[in-house]
Structure formats: structure tokens, C-alpha cells
Amino acid sequence: YFMNNGESERNRFMTGETLVKQLHRYNGQVPLIKEPAMTHLTELVHAINFLAEHDVQDGRQLQNLEKQFDQALTEVNETLEQLSDKMMSLHQISKLLIEAEVTQQPQEVQRKLSTLLPHATLNEISYDDIKDEIDSIQKSQNYLKETIKTTVQKIENVHLIQAIPDKKQELKQERKI
């Protein structure tokens, strides 16, 4: 909600999209979109780390968390695919915007645009906005990929650490025989 201290009758509701555009216009930085799947994955990693810190290596808790972790990884991979699809459609839209400027045939370009975005008009969309959104998605994708990579490495390290006591136990059993 936007509040104007000087003129309270000008107070109004502002959507997140409008707020992002204004912040981008005034700051010049492209905002990143926080992906819910990534947040869920991070929470699961914290829970697994908590159990590891308290030497919980067996039981339902850890197994449930690992199942949830695998599901969260699947969700993150699906999110990456959705972001790729969205970026592809944004590239098509930017291509249409360039075509509108070059060909000077706005009706034809509007027809093509309506197949991608049914309720959009050429006047509502600017090339710079589309370019900024593509940059934001690329940054989000890179962040997600890097986070997945480091998270999976951390989980694999935890599994290795958990496997060491099991190996020692097996060696002791073999020596007794």
C-alpha cells in the first residue's frame, strides 16, 4: 500500500509488479524473484544439518527428510524448466517488439503477440522491460543451479561421513570372524 503523507487522498494500493518496476526504474537494478522451491530446499538442508549436528543418523526423521529433499530437488528442477520456458517466450516477445519497430506493421505484430500474450498490446510492453525480465530470470537460474550443485555436494559429504562409522563397524565384524 502506497501512502502519501502530504495528501492522504492519494494513498493507493500498489501491486508487487508495479513496485518492482518503480524500484527498477529508480535504482537501475534488476530484482531477483525468490523461488519457493528453493526456499523449501534450503529449509530441508537446515533440518538435515540440525539432525547431523545432534548425531541423529538413523530413524524415521532422517529418512523422511531425505525423501522430502529428493522431492524438493525434483521441484527445483521443474522450476528450472519453467524458467527456461518463460525465458524462451520472453525472447519471442522481444523478437516481436524488434520486428514491430523494423517493419512498421503494428497490426501484424499485434496479431502475433496476441498468440503469445492474449491480453497484451504493443503499447503496454517495452523492449527494456522484457530484456530486464530475461536478465532477472537468467540470474535466478544461475543462482538455482549453483545452489543445487553446492547443496547436493553437502548432502553427499554428509552421506560419506555417515558411511565411515558403518565401514568401521563392518571391518570390526570381519576381524572377529
Side-chain angles (χ1 to χ4, degrees):
Y1 197 78
F2 178 74
M3 297 181 71
N4 187 337
N5 291 335
E7 299 175 41
S8 61
E9 65 274 354
R10 295 190 70 200
N11 292 351
R12 65 184 182 103
F13 176 77
M14 188 181 304
T15 64
E17 184 178 348
T18 304
L19 180 63
V20 166
K21 286 180 182 178
Q22 284 189 355
L23 289 173
H24 172 67
R25 189 173 296 130
Y26 294 119
N27 293 340
Q29 294 182 345
V30 178
L32 292 179
I33 298 170
K34 186 175 183 181
E35 298 296 335
M38 198 65 232
T39 303
H40 182 63
L41 186 68
T42 304
E43 290 171 355
L44 288 172
V45 168
H46 289 301
I48 291 171
N49 287 339
F50 177 80
L51 291 178
E53 288 173 7
H54 291 87
D55 294 326
V56 177
Q57 297 178 2
D58 267 350
R60 283 192 331 239
Q61 294 170 331
L62 192 59
Q63 291 172 353
N64 287 339
L65 283 176
E66 287 179 351
K67 286 179 187 175
Q68 289 177 10
F69 180 77
D70 289 340
Q71 290 171 349
L73 273 178
T74 303
E75 288 177 27
V76 170
N77 286 327
E78 289 171 1
T79 300
L80 282 170
E81 288 177 25
Q82 290 170 354
L83 289 174
S84 293
D85 293 344
K86 185 174 182 178
M87 193 160 23
M88 200 165 28
S89 70
L90 288 172
H91 279 294
Q92 291 174 342
I93 292 169
S94 66
K95 183 179 172 183
L96 287 176
L97 293 172
I98 292 171
E99 182 180 330
E101 288 182 23
V102 172
T103 62
Q104 300 296 325
Q105 296 177 351
Q107 293 84 10
E108 179 65 23
V109 175
Q110 178 63 48
R111 186 186 61 74
K112 291 177 184 178
L113 179 64
S114 63
T115 61
L116 295 172
L117 296 172
H119 302 292
T121 63
L122 284 173
N123 298 335
E124 296 173 342
I125 303 172
S126 75
Y127 178 77
D128 289 334
D129 289 342
I130 299 296
K131 183 177 162 268
D132 292 339
E133 194 168 347
I134 289 171
D135 289 343
S136 175
I137 290 173
Q138 285 175 334
K139 288 178 182 177
S140 292
Q141 278 183 320
N142 291 338
Y143 173 74
L144 284 172
K145 288 176 184 176
E146 187 62 34
T147 304
I148 289 172
K149 182 180 172 182
T150 57
T151 303
V152 168
Q153 286 176 344
K154 288 178 184 177
I155 294 297
E156 287 175 354
N157 288 340
V158 167
H159 286 299
L160 286 175
I161 291 170
Q162 289 173 344
I164 290 173
D166 293 339
K167 294 251 185 208
K168 288 182 181 178
Q169 188 92 18
E170 289 175 18
L171 288 174
K172 286 181 183 177
Q173 291 293 332
E174 288 177 6
R175 288 182 186 160
K176 288 182 181 178
I177 297 177

